[in-house]
Amino acid sequence: MNAPAPAALPVVVIGAGPTGLAAAAHLSGRSIEALVLEAGSAAGAAVRQWAHVRLFSTWGEVVDPAAEKLLAPTGWEKPDADTYPSGGDWAEHYLQPLADILGERVRYDARVTGVSRAGRDRIVDADREAQPFVVHYTAADGSEDRVFARAVIDASGTWSTPSPAGADGLAALGERHAADRITYRIPDLTDPAVRARYAGKRTAVIGSGASAFTALASLADLAKTEEQAGTHATWILRRGLSGSTFGGGTADQLPARGALGLAAKAAVDHGYADAVTGFRTDAVERATDGRLILVGEDGRRLDPVDEVIVLTGLRPDLTFLDELRLGLDERLQAPAALAPLIDPNQHSCGTVYPHGVNELSHPERDVYLVGMKSYGRAPTFLAMTGYEQVRSIAAHLAGDREAATRVELTLPETGVCGGAGLFDEPAAADGTGGGCCATPATLTIGAPAGTPGGC
């Protein structure tokens, strides 16, 4: 294989989601050729799968500055910065227009299957860094192709690999065989077919984060309708209930988060959901009538349910990076230098320290995991964090070391930053609380911490 010289090659970006497209915008602004490989047939393919879910972050926090600069000459109008987009809004009104501007630099229906150094597997040292990257991908028709790259930015996210119901991180016994009654996504109950699946049924919701809150609140709303009064949820938590389970309520520094937690609490308080605490799922069994019985590690067997919604987090797919020398934290599967800064046992999004190319580098030079994928299994990611990551990386690849290391991310010191929001209620969308981590959330570049900045 006669690979071209790396300097003449583009930077390959994996994924045309928010962070991947922002990476392409920043590279373009630096006159660096980029090629975005997107597995889906449109920009934000993963985001579109949760189109019905509203973000925690406002429009002002989910539009990248370099991307906005590209869009402005086209007549694109930025939505009201203080309002909360849904996933569908984000994809249609920002991600797709941005991808359209990038044009042929975005290649759809290109699912990456492997990344390596040209002619070198992960074992070979000889002349390794002088070789370009080779990126293999498959097209929609199953045909295979490859491209060469001077650097690789993996912004493929974690959406495709949800965590299972099993408390040990593995699928519970019988979980795969019960796939016809299990989903790992927040159901869109505005869809008549999906609504019929849960209406009048008993549903188990496994998880303790914002996505679980959203599912519980949605099921409670369904149960409130006269024709679906039999709808009921069983909320399964691995931990016990405490004062912090539902957030801070009306005293929460993030009113939007507080409203979401209160909605989930109301579902329990008003009898639309029962909470089962300290339950660690070990097995899923099928009852004689086809319903599912969840069995805990302690031997407890719950009453049969018609459906199960598993919302226990997401994890990165690292299989196609197996021939690269990545330095990942053994617990979070995040870059080793970044992991201590984002450990969910110690940090929320507001206490994440500034980070950029230094924290995102690996033993394999010029390969970067960015966006949600950079956080591995940690759930507290912000879109604006991903935008700053790729700003730093683009500066580094352009040889602007000063700009690459000039990274300051200033956020409120509280907040739950993963998952979804329910901000259709006027009281929760009054502009007093910000996005995933609250307003004012500022992204300050090249200025001391605390200096006002825009995001």
Side-chain angles (χ1 to χ4, degrees):
M1 175 170 54
N2 295 319
L9 296 171
V11 174
V12 167
V13 179
I14 305 174
T19 309
L21 292 175
H26 282 278
L27 292 168
S28 176
R30 293 271 183 178
S31 299
I32 298 174
E33 183 183 355
L35 174 62
V36 182
L37 300 178
E38 167 57 46
S41 58
V47 174
R48 293 172 190 273
Q49 293 186 46
W50 48 270
H52 58 292
V53 177
R54 200 162 296 280
L55 279 72
F56 279 157
S57 299
T58 62
W59 270 115
E61 297 162 333
V62 297
V63 173
D64 174 74
E68 186 173 358
K69 186 176 180 180
L70 280 181
L71 286 164
T74 70
W76 177 79
E77 294 185 8
K78 184 177 180 179
D80 185 343
D82 294 326
T83 60
Y84 297 93
S86 67
D89 296 334
W90 203 14
E92 288 298 327
H93 301 304
Y94 169 62
L95 299 178
Q96 193 61 57
L98 176 56
D100 292 343
I101 289 296
L102 292 168
E104 293 183 355
R105 286 170 284 187
V106 181
R107 189 173 299 176
Y108 299 112
D109 296 313
R111 182 175 298 279
V112 173
T113 57
V115 183
S116 187
R117 289 282 185 177
R120 307 289 189 274
D121 64 20
R122 67 183 299 159
I123 299 175
V124 178
D125 291 332
D127 205 26
R128 184 177 188 86
E129 290 192 352
Q131 304 303 313
F133 292 96
V134 59
V135 181
H136 287 234
Y137 67 94
T138 58
D141 62 2
S143 61
E144 298 177 274
D145 206 343
R146 69 186 176 198
V147 293
F148 295 98
R150 59 172 285 198
V152 175
I153 298 175
D154 182 359
S156 59
T158 57
W159 176 258
S160 64
T161 46
S163 296
D168 53 12
L170 304 174
L173 294 178
E175 183 174 346
R176 293 187 181 91
H177 293 292
D180 60 316
R181 290 178 179 259
I182 298 178
T183 184
Y184 300 85
R185 312 300 189 194
I186 301 169
D188 180 5
L189 298 182
T190 64
D191 182 323
V194 176
R195 187 180 182 89
R197 177 173 175 175
Y198 297 94
K201 308 288 182 60
R202 296 185 65 87
T203 300
V205 177
I206 305 176
S208 58
S211 293
F213 288 176
T214 304
L216 288 167
S218 296
L219 290 169
D221 286 342
L222 181 60
K224 293 172 187 176
T225 61
E226 184 176 345
E227 68 274 16
Q228 307 300 347
T231 305
H232 191 81
T234 299
W235 185 24
I236 299 172
L237 301 99
R238 294 171 181 170
R239 296 169 294 195
L241 287 174
S242 68
S244 63
T245 299
F246 301 100
T250 56
D252 201 310
Q253 294 183 47
L254 308 178
R257 182 186 67 165
L260 179 58
L262 289 174
K265 186 176 187 299
V268 175
D269 290 346
H270 297 160
Y272 299 116
D274 298 319
V276 178
T277 61
F279 190 91
R280 305 179 72 82
T281 306
D282 183 64
V284 180
E285 297 181 356
R286 183 88 63 169
T288 56
D289 61 1
R291 293 189 296 169
L292 302 181
I293 299 171
L294 301 181
V295 183
E297 289 181 344
D298 56 5
R300 277 186 289 170
R301 300 170 64 85
L302 302 186
D303 292 337
V305 294
D306 299 284
E307 300 287 341
V308 177
I309 302 173
V310 180
L311 299 169
T312 54
L314 302 164
R315 55 185 62 176
D317 177 8
L318 301 168
T319 56
F320 61 85
L321 303 176
D322 196 46
E323 292 303 322
L324 298 177
R325 298 174 177 180
L326 301 181
L328 298 175
D329 178 75
E330 62 184 12
R331 292 181 305 130
L332 294 183
Q333 295 179 298
L338 177 61
L341 310 182
I342 61 173
D343 186 342
N345 295 302
Q346 302 179 38
H347 296 286
S348 74
C349 59
T351 61
V352 173
Y353 297 103
H355 67 277
V357 67
N358 290 340
E359 293 79 7
L360 297 168
S361 294
H362 293 273
E364 192 79 71
R365 193 179 70 183
D366 289 340
V367 60
Y368 306 97
L369 277 59
V370 300
M372 190 66 211
K373 192 164 187 176
S374 72
Y375 272 40
R377 299 195 184 196
T380 54
F381 181 74
L382 280 171
M384 63 196 321
T385 300
Y387 297 160
E388 178 62 356
Q389 289 177 343
V390 295
R391 185 207 65 81
S392 174
I393 291 168
H396 169 74
L397 293 174
D400 189 348
R401 189 62 187 165
E402 188 275 333
T405 56
R406 192 179 66 237
V407 180
E408 295 183 7
L409 185 63
T410 305
L411 296 167
E413 294 184 357
T414 181
V416 176
C417 306
L422 287 176
F423 305 116
D424 292 319
E425 295 298 324
D430 60 3
T432 59
C436 183
C437 264
T439 299
T442 59
L443 187 63
T444 309
I445 302 172
T451 301
C455 60

